[in-house]
mmCIF file with all atom_site columns, all heavy atoms in Angstrom:
data_model
loop_
_atom_site.group_PDB
_atom_site.id
_atom_site.type_symbol
_atom_site.label_atom_id
_atom_site.label_alt_id
_atom_site.label_comp_id
_atom_site.label_asym_id
_atom_site.label_entity_id
_atom_site.label_seq_id
_atom_site.pdbx_PDB_ins_code
_atom_site.Cartn_x
_atom_site.Cartn_y
_atom_site.Cartn_z
_atom_site.occupancy
_atom_site.B_iso_or_equiv
_atom_site.pdbx_formal_charge
_atom_site.auth_seq_id
_atom_site.auth_comp_id
_atom_site.auth_asym_id
_atom_site.auth_atom_id
_atom_site.pdbx_PDB_model_num
ATOM 1   N N   . LEU J 1 4  ? -13.286 12.733 4.871  1.00 0.00 ? 69 LEU J N   1
ATOM 2   C CA  . LEU J 1 4  ? -14.284 11.853 4.277  1.00 0.00 ? 69 LEU J CA  1
ATOM 3   C C   . LEU J 1 4  ? -14.459 10.587 5.109  1.00 0.00 ? 69 LEU J C   1
ATOM 4   O O   . LEU J 1 4  ? -13.505 10.096 5.717  1.00 0.00 ? 69 LEU J O   1
ATOM 5   C CB  . LEU J 1 4  ? -13.863 11.463 2.851  1.00 0.00 ? 69 LEU J CB  1
ATOM 6   C CG  . LEU J 1 4  ? -13.821 12.581 1.818  1.00 0.00 ? 69 LEU J CG  1
ATOM 7   C CD1 . LEU J 1 4  ? -13.216 12.061 0.512  1.00 0.00 ? 69 LEU J CD1 1
ATOM 8   C CD2 . LEU J 1 4  ? -15.209 13.147 1.569  1.00 0.00 ? 69 LEU J CD2 1
ATOM 9   N N   . PRO J 1 5  ? -15.669 10.034 5.144  1.00 0.00 ? 70 PRO J N   1
ATOM 10  C CA  . PRO J 1 5  ? -15.868 8.755  5.828  1.00 0.00 ? 70 PRO J CA  1
ATOM 11  C C   . PRO J 1 5  ? -15.200 7.631  5.036  1.00 0.00 ? 70 PRO J C   1
ATOM 12  O O   . PRO J 1 5  ? -14.890 7.780  3.858  1.00 0.00 ? 70 PRO J O   1
ATOM 13  C CB  . PRO J 1 5  ? -17.396 8.596  5.825  1.00 0.00 ? 70 PRO J CB  1
ATOM 14  C CG  . PRO J 1 5  ? -17.832 9.345  4.601  1.00 0.00 ? 70 PRO J CG  1
ATOM 15  C CD  . PRO J 1 5  ? -16.899 10.533 4.505  1.00 0.00 ? 70 PRO J CD  1
ATOM 16  N N   . VAL J 1 6  ? -14.976 6.514  5.685  1.00 0.00 ? 71 VAL J N   1
ATOM 17  C CA  . VAL J 1 6  ? -14.420 5.344  5.015  1.00 0.00 ? 71 VAL J CA  1
ATOM 18  C C   . VAL J 1 6  ? -15.398 4.181  5.196  1.00 0.00 ? 71 VAL J C   1
ATOM 19  O O   . VAL J 1 6  ? -15.677 3.777  6.329  1.00 0.00 ? 71 VAL J O   1
ATOM 20  C CB  . VAL J 1 6  ? -13.043 4.951  5.575  1.00 0.00 ? 71 VAL J CB  1
ATOM 21  C CG1 . VAL J 1 6  ? -12.526 3.693  4.881  1.00 0.00 ? 71 VAL J CG1 1
ATOM 22  C CG2 . VAL J 1 6  ? -12.057 6.097  5.420  1.00 0.00 ? 71 VAL J CG2 1
ATOM 23  N N   . TYR J 1 7  ? -15.911 3.665  4.082  1.00 0.00 ? 72 TYR J N   1
ATOM 24  C CA  . TYR J 1 7  ? -16.777 2.491  4.108  1.00 0.00 ? 72 TYR J CA  1
ATOM 25  C C   . TYR J 1 7  ? -15.930 1.295  3.685  1.00 0.00 ? 72 TYR J C   1
ATOM 26  O O   . TYR J 1 7  ? -15.890 0.907  2.522  1.00 0.00 ? 72 TYR J O   1
ATOM 27  C CB  . TYR J 1 7  ? -17.977 2.693  3.181  1.00 0.00 ? 72 TYR J CB  1
ATOM 28  C CG  . TYR J 1 7  ? -18.856 3.855  3.593  1.00 0.00 ? 72 TYR J CG  1
ATOM 29  C CD1 . TYR J 1 7  ? -18.815 5.060  2.903  1.00 0.00 ? 72 TYR J CD1 1
ATOM 30  C CD2 . TYR J 1 7  ? -19.690 3.751  4.702  1.00 0.00 ? 72 TYR J CD2 1
ATOM 31  C CE1 . TYR J 1 7  ? -19.609 6.136  3.286  1.00 0.00 ? 72 TYR J CE1 1
ATOM 32  C CE2 . TYR J 1 7  ? -20.482 4.821  5.096  1.00 0.00 ? 72 TYR J CE2 1
ATOM 33  C CZ  . TYR J 1 7  ? -20.443 6.012  4.387  1.00 0.00 ? 72 TYR J CZ  1
ATOM 34  O OH  . TYR J 1 7  ? -21.220 7.073  4.780  1.00 0.00 ? 72 TYR J OH  1
ATOM 35  N N   . ALA J 1 8  ? -15.251 0.740  4.673  1.00 0.00 ? 73 ALA J N   1
ATOM 36  C CA  . ALA J 1 8  ? -14.258 -0.299 4.395  1.00 0.00 ? 73 ALA J CA  1
ATOM 37  C C   . ALA J 1 8  ? -14.907 -1.676 4.295  1.00 0.00 ? 73 ALA J C   1
ATOM 38  O O   . ALA J 1 8  ? -15.912 -1.966 4.943  1.00 0.00 ? 73 ALA J O   1
ATOM 39  C CB  . ALA J 1 8  ? -13.202 -0.313 5.489  1.00 0.00 ? 73 ALA J CB  1
ATOM 40  N N   . ASP J 1 9  ? -14.303 -2.512 3.465  1.00 0.00 ? 74 ASP J N   1
ATOM 41  C CA  . ASP J 1 9  ? -14.728 -3.909 3.365  1.00 0.00 ? 74 ASP J CA  1
ATOM 42  C C   . ASP J 1 9  ? -14.106 -4.743 4.481  1.00 0.00 ? 74 ASP J C   1
ATOM 43  O O   . ASP J 1 9  ? -14.694 -5.733 4.923  1.00 0.00 ? 74 ASP J O   1
ATOM 44  C CB  . ASP J 1 9  ? -14.310 -4.480 2.002  1.00 0.00 ? 74 ASP J CB  1
ATOM 45  C CG  . ASP J 1 9  ? -15.021 -3.787 0.855  1.00 0.00 ? 74 ASP J CG  1
ATOM 46  O OD1 . ASP J 1 9  ? -16.227 -4.014 0.684  1.00 0.00 ? 74 ASP J OD1 1
ATOM 47  O OD2 . ASP J 1 9  ? -14.366 -3.013 0.140  1.00 0.00 ? 74 ASP J OD2 1
ATOM 48  N N   . LEU J 1 10 ? -12.916 -4.353 4.944  1.00 0.00 ? 75 LEU J N   1
ATOM 49  C CA  . LEU J 1 10 ? -12.234 -5.024 6.040  1.00 0.00 ? 75 LEU J CA  1
ATOM 50  C C   . LEU J 1 10 ? -11.628 -3.973 6.956  1.00 0.00 ? 75 LEU J C   1
ATOM 51  O O   . LEU J 1 10 ? -11.075 -2.978 6.476  1.00 0.00 ? 75 LEU J O   1
ATOM 52  C CB  . LEU J 1 10 ? -11.112 -5.930 5.524  1.00 0.00 ? 75 LEU J CB  1
ATOM 53  C CG  . LEU J 1 10 ? -11.475 -7.181 4.718  1.00 0.00 ? 75 LEU J CG  1
ATOM 54  C CD1 . LEU J 1 10 ? -10.206 -7.786 4.118  1.00 0.00 ? 75 LEU J CD1 1
ATOM 55  C CD2 . LEU J 1 10 ? -12.177 -8.204 5.593  1.00 0.00 ? 75 LEU J CD2 1
ATOM 56  N N   . VAL J 1 11 ? -11.749 -4.181 8.251  1.00 0.00 ? 76 VAL J N   1
ATOM 57  C CA  . VAL J 1 11 ? -11.116 -3.292 9.229  1.00 0.00 ? 76 VAL J CA  1
ATOM 58  C C   . VAL J 1 11 ? -10.454 -4.162 10.286 1.00 0.00 ? 76 VAL J C   1
ATOM 59  O O   . VAL J 1 11 ? -11.080 -5.075 10.843 1.00 0.00 ? 76 VAL J O   1
ATOM 60  C CB  . VAL J 1 11 ? -12.130 -2.356 9.914  1.00 0.00 ? 76 VAL J CB  1
ATOM 61  C CG1 . VAL J 1 11 ? -11.423 -1.471 10.949 1.00 0.00 ? 76 VAL J CG1 1
ATOM 62  C CG2 . VAL J 1 11 ? -12.856 -1.499 8.890  1.00 0.00 ? 76 VAL J CG2 1
ATOM 63  N N   . PHE J 1 12 ? -9.180  -3.884 10.547 1.00 0.00 ? 77 PHE J N   1
ATOM 64  C CA  . PHE J 1 12 ? -8.451  -4.582 11.607 1.00 0.00 ? 77 PHE J CA  1
ATOM 65  C C   . PHE J 1 12 ? -7.767  -3.535 12.476 1.00 0.00 ? 77 PHE J C   1
ATOM 66  O O   . PHE J 1 12 ? -7.192  -2.569 11.970 1.00 0.00 ? 77 PHE J O   1
ATOM 67  C CB  . PHE J 1 12 ? -7.394  -5.520 11.029 1.00 0.00 ? 77 PHE J CB  1
ATOM 68  C CG  . PHE J 1 12 ? -7.951  -6.612 10.160 1.00 0.00 ? 77 PHE J CG  1
ATOM 69  C CD1 . PHE J 1 12 ? -7.787  -6.564 8.786  1.00 0.00 ? 77 PHE J CD1 1
ATOM 70  C CD2 . PHE J 1 12 ? -8.636  -7.680 10.721 1.00 0.00 ? 77 PHE J CD2 1
ATOM 71  C CE1 . PHE J 1 12 ? -8.290  -7.562 7.975  1.00 0.00 ? 77 PHE J CE1 1
ATOM 72  C CE2 . PHE J 1 12 ? -9.153  -8.689 9.913  1.00 0.00 ? 77 PHE J CE2 1
ATOM 73  C CZ  . PHE J 1 12 ? -8.979  -8.635 8.547  1.00 0.00 ? 77 PHE J CZ  1
ATOM 74  N N   . GLU J 1 13 ? -7.829  -3.747 13.801 1.00 0.00 ? 78 GLU J N   1
ATOM 75  C CA  . GLU J 1 13 ? -7.217  -2.804 14.735 1.00 0.00 ? 78 GLU J CA  1
ATOM 76  C C   . GLU J 1 13 ? -6.648  -3.571 15.918 1.00 0.00 ? 78 GLU J C   1
ATOM 77  O O   . GLU J 1 13 ? -7.312  -4.453 16.480 1.00 0.00 ? 78 GLU J O   1
ATOM 78  C CB  . GLU J 1 13 ? -8.260  -1.784 15.202 1.00 0.00 ? 78 GLU J CB  1
ATOM 79  C CG  . GLU J 1 13 ? -7.685  -0.622 15.956 1.00 0.00 ? 78 GLU J CG  1
ATOM 80  C CD  . GLU J 1 13 ? -8.673  0.524  16.101 1.00 0.00 ? 78 GLU J CD  1
ATOM 81  O OE1 . GLU J 1 13 ? -9.844  0.376  15.708 1.00 0.00 ? 78 GLU J OE1 1
ATOM 82  O OE2 . GLU J 1 13 ? -8.256  1.582  16.614 1.00 0.00 ? 78 GLU J OE2 1
ATOM 83  N N   . THR J 1 14 ? -5.423  -3.238 16.299 1.00 0.00 ? 79 THR J N   1
ATOM 84  C CA  . THR J 1 14 ? -4.767  -3.995 17.371 1.00 0.00 ? 79 THR J CA  1
ATOM 85  C C   . THR J 1 14 ? -5.495  -3.859 18.703 1.00 0.00 ? 79 THR J C   1
ATOM 86  O O   . THR J 1 14 ? -5.404  -4.753 19.551 1.00 0.00 ? 79 THR J O   1
ATOM 87  C CB  . THR J 1 14 ? -3.311  -3.534 17.550 1.00 0.00 ? 79 THR J CB  1
ATOM 88  O OG1 . THR J 1 14 ? -3.288  -2.100 17.710 1.00 0.00 ? 79 THR J OG1 1
ATOM 89  C CG2 . THR J 1 14 ? -2.464  -3.921 16.355 1.00 0.00 ? 79 THR J CG2 1
ATOM 90  N N   . SER J 1 15 ? -6.228  -2.767 18.909 1.00 0.00 ? 80 SER J N   1
ATOM 91  C CA  . SER J 1 15 ? -6.946  -2.579 20.179 1.00 0.00 ? 80 SER J CA  1
ATOM 92  C C   . SER J 1 15 ? -8.017  -3.644 20.389 1.00 0.00 ? 80 SER J C   1
ATOM 93  O O   . SER J 1 15 ? -8.493  -3.836 21.509 1.00 0.00 ? 80 SER J O   1
ATOM 94  C CB  . SER J 1 15 ? -7.577  -1.188 20.226 1.00 0.00 ? 80 SER J CB  1
ATOM 95  O OG  . SER J 1 15 ? -8.515  -1.029 19.174 1.00 0.00 ? 80 SER J OG  1
ATOM 96  N N   . GLU J 1 16 ? -8.395  -4.342 19.317 1.00 0.00 ? 81 GLU J N   1
ATOM 97  C CA  . GLU J 1 16 ? -9.400  -5.394 19.427 1.00 0.00 ? 81 GLU J CA  1
ATOM 98  C C   . GLU J 1 16 ? -8.814  -6.699 19.970 1.00 0.00 ? 81 GLU J C   1
ATOM 99  O O   . GLU J 1 16 ? -9.566  -7.625 20.323 1.00 0.00 ? 81 GLU J O   1
ATOM 100 C CB  . GLU J 1 16 ? -10.030 -5.668 18.062 1.00 0.00 ? 81 GLU J CB  1
ATOM 101 C CG  . GLU J 1 16 ? -10.742 -4.464 17.460 1.00 0.00 ? 81 GLU J CG  1
ATOM 102 C CD  . GLU J 1 16 ? -11.203 -4.730 16.037 1.00 0.00 ? 81 GLU J CD  1
ATOM 103 O OE1 . GLU J 1 16 ? -10.850 -5.801 15.491 1.00 0.00 ? 81 GLU J OE1 1
ATOM 104 O OE2 . GLU J 1 16 ? -11.913 -3.874 15.490 1.00 0.00 ? 81 GLU J OE2 1
ATOM 105 N N   . PHE J 1 17 ? -7.489  -6.788 20.030 1.00 0.00 ? 82 PHE J N   1
ATOM 106 C CA  . PHE J 1 17 ? -6.841  -8.036 20.414 1.00 0.00 ? 82 PHE J CA  1
ATOM 107 C C   . PHE J 1 17 ? -6.279  -7.938 21.827 1.00 0.00 ? 82 PHE J C   1
ATOM 108 O O   . PHE J 1 17 ? -5.887  -6.873 22.288 1.00 0.00 ? 82 PHE J O   1
ATOM 109 C CB  . PHE J 1 17 ? -5.697  -8.362 19.445 1.00 0.00 ? 82 PHE J CB  1
ATOM 110 C CG  . PHE J 1 17 ? -6.080  -8.291 17.992 1.00 0.00 ? 82 PHE J CG  1
ATOM 111 C CD1 . PHE J 1 17 ? -5.240  -7.690 17.064 1.00 0.00 ? 82 PHE J CD1 1
ATOM 112 C CD2 . PHE J 1 17 ? -7.287  -8.810 17.548 1.00 0.00 ? 82 PHE J CD2 1
ATOM 113 C CE1 . PHE J 1 17 ? -5.581  -7.615 15.715 1.00 0.00 ? 82 PHE J CE1 1
ATOM 114 C CE2 . PHE J 1 17 ? -7.642  -8.736 16.202 1.00 0.00 ? 82 PHE J CE2 1
ATOM 115 C CZ  . PHE J 1 17 ? -6.785  -8.136 15.290 1.00 0.00 ? 82 PHE J CZ  1
#
Side-chain angles (χ1 to χ4, degrees):
L69 294 173
V71 178
Y72 298 104
D74 295 288
L75 292 171
V76 179
F77 299 107
E78 191 166 6
T79 52
S80 61
E81 299 173 353
F82 310 137

